[in-house]
Amino acid sequence: MSPDDQPNSGGSPPGPGTITALAVAVLAITTSSPLIAFAAAPGLAIAFWRNALAVGVLTPVAIVRRRDELRALAGPYRRQLIFCVLSGVALAVHFGTWVPSIKLTSVTAATALVCTQPVWQGLIALGQGRRLPWLTWAGIGVSVAGAAAATGADFGVSTLAVLGDLMAIAGGLFAAVYVAFGERARSTLSTTVYTTVCYGVCGLVLLVACLAGGVPLGGYPATTWLAILGLVAGAQLLGHSMFNFALRRVSATTVSILILLEVPGSALLAWVWLGQAPPLATVPGVLLIVVGVAVVVLGGARAGRGRPRSARAGGTGRRRTVALTTSTDAEV
């Protein structure tokens, strides 16, 4: 077994394999928003196909490698199955709001606003009775100010741009809900089984939404199908897989910060490839969002390092400080 396949046991620096995996993952997720903007298909249809095709890839792997675990979902893992289903529904709402938002507002604004997921994660933790450190509150304040500034700037662009901003914010919120349910399911289930079931439920919900809304699921040009396949192979499978691999050697906080590179990366790609320069008025707000989310993640990590070992292991103290990370199974 190579050094990069070993868990990180003592703060040793990541090897070249891990660094390569991180670089590939960042590049993969950076292509997500521009590919969605490029694809000549409705946002809901794109969201459906990226999940349905991903399930087509994951299901054979789950059957071959995790057959006993799949059977357990009907028995001792019934509770985990419920969390998988709820997570899949939340993921469907995430995709159903964020993917169409890219068609309404700029790639830069939609990507930055959906990256507020750690902010919502902190507020969910607060609702669960956990205490947020002051640095996390500061980051939330900066992110909210940035989102307000970016959305307010789009009032001068169009009503549709503002609607797209609000949908991207909702996408970030439901990404956090998806992670919260997924955390409960993943306490027992493997990544393969969890993502197979979750993506399957998500695809089914999106299919119902497409059929109910009369959204066409076919008849697209070949370039659109190539874009959808790029989304499945890139952000949906390759990006997440490489981040999960890298988590053996680097902290979740490092991964969370690297995920924020999607914002400038997507903006640059949309500018060069699609000629979609971000509106100058939204740039200050977008920068505030990125800074605020980084502060939230770093503040949560600092709180996690400062907690007693018993609290990290799930101690029963009445007040616990939450340590925030961004799940690499969520689309940002």
Side-chain angles (χ1 to χ4, degrees), residues 49-257:
W49 281 116
R50 67 182 293 174
N51 281 275
L53 294 175
V55 170
V57 174
L58 291 170
T59 300
V61 178
I63 291 174
V64 171
R65 299 182 58 186
R66 301 288 182 177
R67 187 173 303 174
D68 292 341
E69 195 175 336
L70 287 172
R71 290 197 187 104
L73 292 175
Y77 287 175
R78 280 194 298 266
R79 182 177 178 84
Q80 284 75 13
L81 176 61
I82 293 173
F83 288 129
C84 285
V85 171
L86 293 174
S87 182
V89 172
L91 184 61
V93 180
H94 159 70
F95 279 127
T97 50
W98 176 63
V99 174
S101 77
I102 299 173
K103 303 284 187 179
L104 301 176
T105 187
S106 68
V107 166
T108 304
T111 306
L113 290 167
V114 81
C115 279
T116 57
Q117 176 196 338
V119 171
W120 299 111
Q121 214 81 59
L123 295 177
I124 289 173
L126 182 67
Q128 293 173 334
R130 290 183 254 178
R131 183 166 57 91
L132 301 184
W134 70 268
L135 198 57
T136 298
W137 280 116
I140 289 175
V142 172
S143 295
V144 170
T151 305
D154 273 342
F155 273 107
V157 177
S158 70
T159 304
L160 285 179
V162 175
L163 176 60
D165 292 341
L166 296 176
M167 291 175 67
I169 292 173
L173 167 61
F174 280 96
V177 176
Y178 151 68
V179 169
F181 282 125
E183 184 181 26
R184 301 292 296 275
R186 285 294 313 282
S187 64
T188 303
L189 299 179
S190 65
T191 301
T192 301
V193 169
Y194 166 66
T195 53
T196 301
V197 177
C198 179
Y199 289 175
V201 171
C202 176
L204 182 60
V205 172
L206 290 170
L207 176 61
V208 172
C210 287
L211 295 177
V215 177
L217 295 175
Y220 312 138
T223 51
T224 293
W225 286 113
L226 287 175
I228 292 173
L229 290 175
L231 284 167
V232 175
Q236 194 77 8
L237 294 174
L238 184 59
H240 296 163
S241 298
M242 291 297 98
F243 274 132
N244 283 325
F245 170 82
L247 278 171
R248 292 175 178 270
R249 300 296 296 174
V250 299
S251 70
T253 301
T254 299
V255 170
S256 300
I257 297 299

